[in-house]
Amino acid sequence: MTNQNLAQFKSVFKAENLKITPQRLEVFREMCDSDEHRESEKIYLALRKRNIHVSRATVFRTMDLLYENGFVSRMDIGDGKWRYEHWLDCSHHDHLICIRCGRIVEFFDPEIEKLQEDVCSRFDYQLVRHSHQLFGMCKECAD
Amino acid sequence: MTNQNLAQFKSVFKAENLKITPQRLEVFREMCDSDEHRESEKIYLALRKRNIHVSRATVFRTMDLLYENGFVSRMDIGDGKWRYEHWLDCSHHDHLICIRCGRIVEFFDPEIEKLQEDVCSRFDYQLVRHSHQLFGMCKECAD
DNA sequence: AATATTGTTGAGACTCATTCTCAACAGAAT
DNA sequence: ATTCTGTTGAGAATGAGTCTCAACAATATT
């Protein structure tokens, strides 16, 4: 977690009238310092492991706040859990997921992005967001 | 449900050593005769309404079988429920979902399909399946 | 300083889609 | 007839996430 991350966190939470509590700070720090795509339970357990006591409910609540305020993005790969990743650089991307080992790779394809817009205007929809996941077998798993 | 649908169902289930029971037939008929994208509970209730008694558990189990054997496809729009649609013509498509009224439109864009393959080979993945959803506001809801 | 107000927390109860368990059953095979 | 195997229904169990509520903490008001 850089000083800039921290400053941004504080300023957004202040602006939203959300208190900057030790628990929220710890959850935010945990997110800043990992590049993984984790579900809330894993984040909760990571904090536990570092002997930081934040309740499960608070982790869930804080992940919601971080998501609503654009500090993390989340994805749903169809197993009923949200997977969160920090979104400090705010660069949009989609995901390629290995169906065997679960490894997740990020991709961004401007052409696909554009074609999505085209599809929407074809059907008279205003695109708000999208979810695009490719499930396959990574090189190691395919061998 | 056409005779052809029925014949296909019987032949696949027989080939898989799955019994052709009245309950399974009723669930299959219910799927053939609707173009909606429904969750299991709705399918269960639709059967109830027609005074056909199949237990919830059997509906869930049968939806799994129909899915595994390619009679239906299913989608996950992030609310924790599978939505099933019959897939009798087996033509692949993705979905455009109105975030206000929930209306679901199907789309297919061969260019996007091709670009997905390109992304995968870029990362040395073998594409197995994908999930692509556009969330937006339909014309009626945007006004 | 004392008090009131408001938001936050933790523990555990609750929800809800789905899966599991298990006894009863049904049809095919012996 | 009897055994074997797969299927069913009812209700219990699961598990991610949400809700409730009393205790608490920081801020605002008197």
PDB file of all heavy atoms in Angstrom, chain B residues 37-64:
ATOM      1  N   HIS B  37     -35.619 -17.649 -20.198  1.00  0.00           N
ATOM      2  CA  HIS B  37     -34.376 -17.966 -19.501  1.00  0.00           C
ATOM      3  C   HIS B  37     -34.733 -18.048 -18.029  1.00  0.00           C
ATOM      4  O   HIS B  37     -34.781 -17.039 -17.336  1.00  0.00           O
ATOM      5  CB  HIS B  37     -33.339 -16.870 -19.730  1.00  0.00           C
ATOM      6  CG  HIS B  37     -33.001 -16.663 -21.173  1.00  0.00           C
ATOM      7  ND1 HIS B  37     -33.862 -16.059 -22.055  1.00  0.00           N
ATOM      8  CD2 HIS B  37     -31.902 -17.006 -21.892  1.00  0.00           C
ATOM      9  CE1 HIS B  37     -33.298 -16.025 -23.257  1.00  0.00           C
ATOM     10  NE2 HIS B  37     -32.117 -16.586 -23.193  1.00  0.00           N
ATOM     11  N   ARG B  38     -34.998 -19.238 -17.557  1.00  0.00           N
ATOM     12  CA  ARG B  38     -35.541 -19.384 -16.204  1.00  0.00           C
ATOM     13  C   ARG B  38     -34.623 -20.117 -15.249  1.00  0.00           C
ATOM     14  O   ARG B  38     -33.865 -20.986 -15.649  1.00  0.00           O
ATOM     15  CB  ARG B  38     -36.864 -20.167 -16.283  1.00  0.00           C
ATOM     16  CG  ARG B  38     -37.942 -19.420 -17.008  1.00  0.00           C
ATOM     17  CD  ARG B  38     -39.205 -20.244 -17.067  1.00  0.00           C
ATOM     18  NE  ARG B  38     -39.051 -21.448 -17.890  1.00  0.00           N
ATOM     19  CZ  ARG B  38     -39.998 -22.357 -18.065  1.00  0.00           C
ATOM     20  NH1 ARG B  38     -41.160 -22.208 -17.472  1.00  0.00           N
ATOM     21  NH2 ARG B  38     -39.798 -23.404 -18.823  1.00  0.00           N
ATOM     22  N   GLU B  39     -34.746 -19.803 -13.972  1.00  0.00           N
ATOM     23  CA  GLU B  39     -34.016 -20.542 -12.948  1.00  0.00           C
ATOM     24  C   GLU B  39     -34.849 -21.775 -12.574  1.00  0.00           C
ATOM     25  O   GLU B  39     -36.038 -21.831 -12.857  1.00  0.00           O
ATOM     26  CB  GLU B  39     -33.729 -19.670 -11.724  1.00  0.00           C
ATOM     27  CG  GLU B  39     -34.921 -19.041 -11.060  1.00  0.00           C
ATOM     28  CD  GLU B  39     -35.221 -17.632 -11.567  1.00  0.00           C
ATOM     29  OE1 GLU B  39     -34.977 -17.373 -12.764  1.00  0.00           O
ATOM     30  OE2 GLU B  39     -35.712 -16.809 -10.765  1.00  0.00           O
ATOM     31  N   SER B  40     -34.217 -22.725 -11.898  1.00  0.00           N
ATOM     32  CA  SER B  40     -34.873 -23.996 -11.583  1.00  0.00           C
ATOM     33  C   SER B  40     -36.175 -23.789 -10.815  1.00  0.00           C
ATOM     34  O   SER B  40     -37.168 -24.467 -11.070  1.00  0.00           O
ATOM     35  CB  SER B  40     -33.940 -24.884 -10.771  1.00  0.00           C
ATOM     36  OG  SER B  40     -32.830 -25.242 -11.544  1.00  0.00           O
ATOM     37  N   GLU B  41     -36.163 -22.858  -9.891  1.00  0.00           N
ATOM     38  CA  GLU B  41     -37.354 -22.610  -9.088  1.00  0.00           C
ATOM     39  C   GLU B  41     -38.551 -22.241  -9.971  1.00  0.00           C
ATOM     40  O   GLU B  41     -39.654 -22.737  -9.768  1.00  0.00           O
ATOM     41  CB  GLU B  41     -37.073 -21.488  -8.074  1.00  0.00           C
ATOM     42  CG  GLU B  41     -38.229 -21.153  -7.145  1.00  0.00           C
ATOM     43  CD  GLU B  41     -38.561 -22.251  -6.149  1.00  0.00           C
ATOM     44  OE1 GLU B  41     -37.743 -23.176  -5.967  1.00  0.00           O
ATOM     45  OE2 GLU B  41     -39.667 -22.197  -5.560  1.00  0.00           O
ATOM     46  N   LYS B  42     -38.319 -21.380 -10.958  1.00  0.00           N
ATOM     47  CA  LYS B  42     -39.401 -20.974 -11.865  1.00  0.00           C
ATOM     48  C   LYS B  42     -39.912 -22.163 -12.669  1.00  0.00           C
ATOM     49  O   LYS B  42     -41.110 -22.265 -12.943  1.00  0.00           O
ATOM     50  CB  LYS B  42     -38.885 -19.901 -12.837  1.00  0.00           C
ATOM     51  CG  LYS B  42     -38.699 -18.525 -12.215  1.00  0.00           C
ATOM     52  CD  LYS B  42     -39.739 -17.521 -12.718  1.00  0.00           C
ATOM     53  CE  LYS B  42     -39.579 -16.182 -12.020  1.00  0.00           C
ATOM     54  NZ  LYS B  42     -38.420 -15.421 -12.549  1.00  0.00           N
ATOM     55  N   ILE B  43     -38.998 -23.020 -13.055  1.00  0.00           N
ATOM     56  CA  ILE B  43     -39.388 -24.206 -13.822  1.00  0.00           C
ATOM     57  C   ILE B  43     -40.223 -25.119 -12.935  1.00  0.00           C
ATOM     58  O   ILE B  43     -41.272 -25.631 -13.341  1.00  0.00           O
ATOM     59  CB  ILE B  43     -38.130 -24.922 -14.361  1.00  0.00           C
ATOM     60  CG1 ILE B  43     -37.393 -24.001 -15.336  1.00  0.00           C
ATOM     61  CG2 ILE B  43     -38.495 -26.246 -15.021  1.00  0.00           C
ATOM     62  CD1 ILE B  43     -35.951 -24.367 -15.598  1.00  0.00           C
ATOM     63  N   TYR B  44     -39.774 -25.256 -11.699  1.00  0.00           N
ATOM     64  CA  TYR B  44     -40.516 -26.059 -10.724  1.00  0.00           C
ATOM     65  C   TYR B  44     -41.931 -25.509 -10.534  1.00  0.00           C
ATOM     66  O   TYR B  44     -42.919 -26.234 -10.571  1.00  0.00           O
ATOM     67  CB  TYR B  44     -39.755 -26.062  -9.395  1.00  0.00           C
ATOM     68  CG  TYR B  44     -40.528 -26.594  -8.217  1.00  0.00           C
ATOM     69  CD1 TYR B  44     -40.800 -27.953  -8.090  1.00  0.00           C
ATOM     70  CD2 TYR B  44     -40.997 -25.726  -7.231  1.00  0.00           C
ATOM     71  CE1 TYR B  44     -41.510 -28.438  -7.002  1.00  0.00           C
ATOM     72  CE2 TYR B  44     -41.709 -26.205  -6.141  1.00  0.00           C
ATOM     73  CZ  TYR B  44     -41.969 -27.560  -6.035  1.00  0.00           C
ATOM     74  OH  TYR B  44     -42.677 -28.035  -4.964  1.00  0.00           O
ATOM     75  N   LEU B  45     -42.019 -24.185 -10.387  1.00  0.00           N
ATOM     76  CA  LEU B  45     -43.335 -23.566 -10.166  1.00  0.00           C
ATOM     77  C   LEU B  45     -44.228 -23.682 -11.393  1.00  0.00           C
ATOM     78  O   LEU B  45     -45.434 -23.858 -11.267  1.00  0.00           O
ATOM     79  CB  LEU B  45     -43.159 -22.102  -9.755  1.00  0.00           C
ATOM     80  CG  LEU B  45     -42.539 -21.897  -8.367  1.00  0.00           C
ATOM     81  CD1 LEU B  45     -42.271 -20.423  -8.105  1.00  0.00           C
ATOM     82  CD2 LEU B  45     -43.419 -22.494  -7.276  1.00  0.00           C
ATOM     83  N   ALA B  46     -43.621 -23.597 -12.576  1.00  0.00           N
ATOM     84  CA  ALA B  46     -44.406 -23.729 -13.808  1.00  0.00           C
ATOM     85  C   ALA B  46     -45.042 -25.117 -13.866  1.00  0.00           C
ATOM     86  O   ALA B  46     -46.211 -25.264 -14.266  1.00  0.00           O
ATOM     87  CB  ALA B  46     -43.518 -23.486 -15.027  1.00  0.00           C
ATOM     88  N   LEU B  47     -44.295 -26.129 -13.465  1.00  0.00           N
ATOM     89  CA  LEU B  47     -44.833 -27.489 -13.463  1.00  0.00           C
ATOM     90  C   LEU B  47     -45.970 -27.600 -12.441  1.00  0.00           C
ATOM     91  O   LEU B  47     -47.033 -28.143 -12.736  1.00  0.00           O
ATOM     92  CB  LEU B  47     -43.722 -28.495 -13.128  1.00  0.00           C
ATOM     93  CG  LEU B  47     -42.701 -28.723 -14.247  1.00  0.00           C
ATOM     94  CD1 LEU B  47     -41.476 -29.449 -13.732  1.00  0.00           C
ATOM     95  CD2 LEU B  47     -43.330 -29.514 -15.391  1.00  0.00           C
ATOM     96  N   ARG B  48     -45.732 -27.056 -11.259  1.00  0.00           N
ATOM     97  CA  ARG B  48     -46.755 -27.030 -10.216  1.00  0.00           C
ATOM     98  C   ARG B  48     -48.064 -26.461 -10.745  1.00  0.00           C
ATOM     99  O   ARG B  48     -49.138 -26.988 -10.525  1.00  0.00           O
ATOM    100  CB  ARG B  48     -46.295 -26.100  -9.087  1.00  0.00           C
ATOM    101  CG  ARG B  48     -45.310 -26.730  -8.161  1.00  0.00           C
ATOM    102  CD  ARG B  48     -45.929 -26.830  -6.812  1.00  0.00           C
ATOM    103  NE  ARG B  48     -45.691 -28.152  -6.280  1.00  0.00           N
ATOM    104  CZ  ARG B  48     -45.984 -28.488  -5.032  1.00  0.00           C
ATOM    105  NH1 ARG B  48     -46.510 -27.593  -4.229  1.00  0.00           N
ATOM    106  NH2 ARG B  48     -45.761 -29.707  -4.607  1.00  0.00           N
ATOM    107  N   LYS B  49     -47.900 -25.324 -11.426  1.00  0.00           N
ATOM    108  CA  LYS B  49     -49.068 -24.607 -11.932  1.00  0.00           C
ATOM    109  C   LYS B  49     -49.868 -25.487 -12.888  1.00  0.00           C
ATOM    110  O   LYS B  49     -51.094 -25.391 -12.956  1.00  0.00           O
ATOM    111  CB  LYS B  49     -48.606 -23.342 -12.659  1.00  0.00           C
ATOM    112  CG  LYS B  49     -49.601 -22.208 -12.623  1.00  0.00           C
ATOM    113  CD  LYS B  49     -48.948 -20.912 -13.060  1.00  0.00           C
ATOM    114  CE  LYS B  49     -49.850 -19.707 -12.827  1.00  0.00           C
ATOM    115  NZ  LYS B  49     -49.100 -18.459 -13.104  1.00  0.00           N
ATOM    116  N   ARG B  50     -49.177 -26.345 -13.608  1.00  0.00           N
ATOM    117  CA  ARG B  50     -49.863 -27.253 -14.522  1.00  0.00           C
ATOM    118  C   ARG B  50     -50.257 -28.548 -13.802  1.00  0.00           C
ATOM    119  O   ARG B  50     -50.586 -29.539 -14.455  1.00  0.00           O
ATOM    120  CB  ARG B  50     -48.962 -27.564 -15.726  1.00  0.00           C
ATOM    121  CG  ARG B  50     -48.619 -26.316 -16.529  1.00  0.00           C
ATOM    122  CD  ARG B  50     -48.244 -26.623 -17.966  1.00  0.00           C
ATOM    123  NE  ARG B  50     -46.902 -27.148 -18.139  1.00  0.00           N
ATOM    124  CZ  ARG B  50     -46.606 -28.407 -18.475  1.00  0.00           C
ATOM    125  NH1 ARG B  50     -47.561 -29.281 -18.696  1.00  0.00           N
ATOM    126  NH2 ARG B  50     -45.357 -28.778 -18.616  1.00  0.00           N
ATOM    127  N   ASN B  51     -50.198 -28.486 -12.463  1.00  0.00           N
ATOM    128  CA  ASN B  51     -50.598 -29.644 -11.665  1.00  0.00           C
ATOM    129  C   ASN B  51     -49.773 -30.889 -11.919  1.00  0.00           C
ATOM    130  O   ASN B  51     -50.269 -32.009 -11.791  1.00  0.00           O
ATOM    131  CB  ASN B  51     -52.080 -29.972 -11.890  1.00  0.00           C
ATOM    132  CG  ASN B  51     -52.922 -29.169 -10.939  1.00  0.00           C
ATOM    133  OD1 ASN B  51     -52.612 -29.106  -9.756  1.00  0.00           O
ATOM    134  ND2 ASN B  51     -53.944 -28.535 -11.470  1.00  0.00           N
ATOM    135  N   ILE B  52     -48.513 -30.649 -12.249  1.00  0.00           N
ATOM    136  CA  ILE B  52     -47.615 -31.779 -12.435  1.00  0.00           C
ATOM    137  C   ILE B  52     -46.707 -31.807 -11.231  1.00  0.00           C
ATOM    138  O   ILE B  52     -46.034 -30.820 -10.932  1.00  0.00           O
ATOM    139  CB  ILE B  52     -46.808 -31.600 -13.732  1.00  0.00           C
ATOM    140  CG1 ILE B  52     -47.750 -31.742 -14.918  1.00  0.00           C
ATOM    141  CG2 ILE B  52     -45.669 -32.615 -13.794  1.00  0.00           C
ATOM    142  CD1 ILE B  52     -47.198 -31.192 -16.185  1.00  0.00           C
ATOM    143  N   HIS B  53     -46.743 -32.905 -10.523  1.00  0.00           N
ATOM    144  CA  HIS B  53     -45.962 -32.938  -9.300  1.00  0.00           C
ATOM    145  C   HIS B  53     -44.614 -33.600  -9.504  1.00  0.00           C
ATOM    146  O   HIS B  53     -44.507 -34.807  -9.667  1.00  0.00           O
ATOM    147  CB  HIS B  53     -46.720 -33.629  -8.174  1.00  0.00           C
ATOM    148  CG  HIS B  53     -45.977 -33.531  -6.899  1.00  0.00           C
ATOM    149  ND1 HIS B  53     -45.911 -32.341  -6.198  1.00  0.00           N
ATOM    150  CD2 HIS B  53     -45.203 -34.403  -6.243  1.00  0.00           C
ATOM    151  CE1 HIS B  53     -45.145 -32.516  -5.151  1.00  0.00           C
ATOM    152  NE2 HIS B  53     -44.688 -33.762  -5.148  1.00  0.00           N
ATOM    153  N   VAL B  54     -43.578 -32.765  -9.516  1.00  0.00           N
ATOM    154  CA  VAL B  54     -42.202 -33.248  -9.550  1.00  0.00           C
ATOM    155  C   VAL B  54     -41.508 -32.503  -8.427  1.00  0.00           C
ATOM    156  O   VAL B  54     -41.689 -31.300  -8.288  1.00  0.00           O
ATOM    157  CB  VAL B  54     -41.530 -32.909 -10.901  1.00  0.00           C
ATOM    158  CG1 VAL B  54     -40.113 -33.435 -10.933  1.00  0.00           C
ATOM    159  CG2 VAL B  54     -42.333 -33.460 -12.062  1.00  0.00           C
ATOM    160  N   SER B  55     -40.753 -33.175  -7.620  1.00  0.00           N
ATOM    161  CA  SER B  55     -40.155 -32.497  -6.467  1.00  0.00           C
ATOM    162  C   SER B  55     -39.071 -31.524  -6.914  1.00  0.00           C
ATOM    163  O   SER B  55     -38.496 -31.653  -7.995  1.00  0.00           O
ATOM    164  CB  SER B  55     -39.560 -33.511  -5.509  1.00  0.00           C
ATOM    165  OG  SER B  55     -38.395 -34.058  -6.057  1.00  0.00           O
ATOM    166  N   ARG B  56     -38.798 -30.545  -6.043  1.00  0.00           N
ATOM    167  CA  ARG B  56     -37.736 -29.579  -6.313  1.00  0.00           C
ATOM    168  C   ARG B  56     -36.431 -30.292  -6.625  1.00  0.00           C
ATOM    169  O   ARG B  56     -35.753 -29.987  -7.601  1.00  0.00           O
ATOM    170  CB  ARG B  56     -37.532 -28.689  -5.101  1.00  0.00           C
ATOM    171  CG  ARG B  56     -38.015 -27.293  -5.277  1.00  0.00           C
ATOM    172  CD  ARG B  56     -37.565 -26.377  -4.168  1.00  0.00           C
ATOM    173  NE  ARG B  56     -38.464 -25.236  -4.114  1.00  0.00           N
ATOM    174  CZ  ARG B  56     -39.604 -25.232  -3.447  1.00  0.00           C
ATOM    175  NH1 ARG B  56     -39.995 -26.293  -2.768  1.00  0.00           N
ATOM    176  NH2 ARG B  56     -40.356 -24.148  -3.445  1.00  0.00           N
ATOM    177  N   ALA B  57     -36.083 -31.245  -5.763  1.00  0.00           N
ATOM    178  CA  ALA B  57     -34.811 -31.950  -5.930  1.00  0.00           C
ATOM    179  C   ALA B  57     -34.722 -32.575  -7.316  1.00  0.00           C
ATOM    180  O   ALA B  57     -33.684 -32.515  -7.970  1.00  0.00           O
ATOM    181  CB  ALA B  57     -34.653 -33.000  -4.849  1.00  0.00           C
ATOM    182  N   THR B  58     -35.817 -33.165  -7.764  1.00  0.00           N
ATOM    183  CA  THR B  58     -35.811 -33.814  -9.078  1.00  0.00           C
ATOM    184  C   THR B  58     -35.683 -32.789 -10.189  1.00  0.00           C
ATOM    185  O   THR B  58     -34.999 -33.028 -11.195  1.00  0.00           O
ATOM    186  CB  THR B  58     -37.078 -34.674  -9.246  1.00  0.00           C
ATOM    187  OG1 THR B  58     -37.031 -35.703  -8.263  1.00  0.00           O
ATOM    188  CG2 THR B  58     -37.146 -35.300 -10.617  1.00  0.00           C
ATOM    189  N   VAL B  59     -36.297 -31.628 -10.027  1.00  0.00           N
ATOM    190  CA  VAL B  59     -36.129 -30.587 -11.042  1.00  0.00           C
ATOM    191  C   VAL B  59     -34.654 -30.186 -11.118  1.00  0.00           C
ATOM    192  O   VAL B  59     -34.068 -30.135 -12.201  1.00  0.00           O
ATOM    193  CB  VAL B  59     -37.008 -29.357 -10.745  1.00  0.00           C
ATOM    194  CG1 VAL B  59     -36.673 -28.202 -11.690  1.00  0.00           C
ATOM    195  CG2 VAL B  59     -38.483 -29.708 -10.863  1.00  0.00           C
ATOM    196  N   PHE B  60     -34.032 -29.943  -9.968  1.00  0.00           N
ATOM    197  CA  PHE B  60     -32.609 -29.576  -9.971  1.00  0.00           C
ATOM    198  C   PHE B  60     -31.772 -30.674 -10.610  1.00  0.00           C
ATOM    199  O   PHE B  60     -30.909 -30.407 -11.443  1.00  0.00           O
ATOM    200  CB  PHE B  60     -32.123 -29.323  -8.532  1.00  0.00           C
ATOM    201  CG  PHE B  60     -32.439 -27.938  -8.038  1.00  0.00           C
ATOM    202  CD1 PHE B  60     -33.532 -27.714  -7.225  1.00  0.00           C
ATOM    203  CD2 PHE B  60     -31.650 -26.856  -8.401  1.00  0.00           C
ATOM    204  CE1 PHE B  60     -33.827 -26.438  -6.768  1.00  0.00           C
ATOM    205  CE2 PHE B  60     -31.939 -25.577  -7.945  1.00  0.00           C
ATOM    206  CZ  PHE B  60     -33.032 -25.358  -7.126  1.00  0.00           C
ATOM    207  N   ARG B  61     -32.050 -31.909 -10.225  1.00  0.00           N
ATOM    208  CA  ARG B  61     -31.269 -33.023 -10.760  1.00  0.00           C
ATOM    209  C   ARG B  61     -31.466 -33.155 -12.265  1.00  0.00           C
ATOM    210  O   ARG B  61     -30.504 -33.366 -13.010  1.00  0.00           O
ATOM    211  CB  ARG B  61     -31.672 -34.325 -10.064  1.00  0.00           C
ATOM    212  CG  ARG B  61     -31.116 -34.427  -8.648  1.00  0.00           C
ATOM    213  CD  ARG B  61     -31.372 -35.794  -8.035  1.00  0.00           C
ATOM    214  NE  ARG B  61     -32.771 -35.943  -7.621  1.00  0.00           N
ATOM    215  CZ  ARG B  61     -33.143 -36.370  -6.411  1.00  0.00           C
ATOM    216  NH1 ARG B  61     -32.242 -36.690  -5.504  1.00  0.00           N
ATOM    217  NH2 ARG B  61     -34.411 -36.490  -6.105  1.00  0.00           N
ATOM    218  N   THR B  62     -32.709 -32.993 -12.698  1.00  0.00           N
ATOM    219  CA  THR B  62     -32.970 -33.170 -14.123  1.00  0.00           C
ATOM    220  C   THR B  62     -32.368 -32.026 -14.935  1.00  0.00           C
ATOM    221  O   THR B  62     -31.848 -32.250 -16.038  1.00  0.00           O
ATOM    222  CB  THR B  62     -34.490 -33.288 -14.379  1.00  0.00           C
ATOM    223  OG1 THR B  62     -34.999 -34.321 -13.543  1.00  0.00           O
ATOM    224  CG2 THR B  62     -34.778 -33.605 -15.827  1.00  0.00           C
ATOM    225  N   MET B  63     -32.389 -30.815 -14.393  1.00  0.00           N
ATOM    226  CA  MET B  63     -31.768 -29.696 -15.109  1.00  0.00           C
ATOM    227  C   MET B  63     -30.277 -29.966 -15.309  1.00  0.00           C
ATOM    228  O   MET B  63     -29.717 -29.686 -16.371  1.00  0.00           O
ATOM    229  CB  MET B  63     -31.976 -28.371 -14.364  1.00  0.00           C
ATOM    230  CG  MET B  63     -33.418 -27.874 -14.342  1.00  0.00           C
ATOM    231  SD  MET B  63     -34.310 -28.041 -15.902  1.00  0.00           S
ATOM    232  CE  MET B  63     -33.311 -27.019 -16.980  1.00  0.00           C
ATOM    233  N   ASP B  64     -29.655 -30.542 -14.312  1.00  0.00           N
ATOM    234  CA  ASP B  64     -28.250 -30.935 -14.430  1.00  0.00           C
ATOM    235  C   ASP B  64     -28.057 -31.921 -15.579  1.00  0.00           C
ATOM    236  O   ASP B  64     -27.145 -31.766 -16.397  1.00  0.00           O
ATOM    237  CB  ASP B  64     -27.798 -31.617 -13.134  1.00  0.00           C
ATOM    238  CG  ASP B  64     -26.936 -30.701 -12.296  1.00  0.00           C
ATOM    239  OD1 ASP B  64     -26.834 -29.503 -12.650  1.00  0.00           O
ATOM    240  OD2 ASP B  64     -26.375 -31.172 -11.302  1.00  0.00           O
TER     241      ASP B  64
END
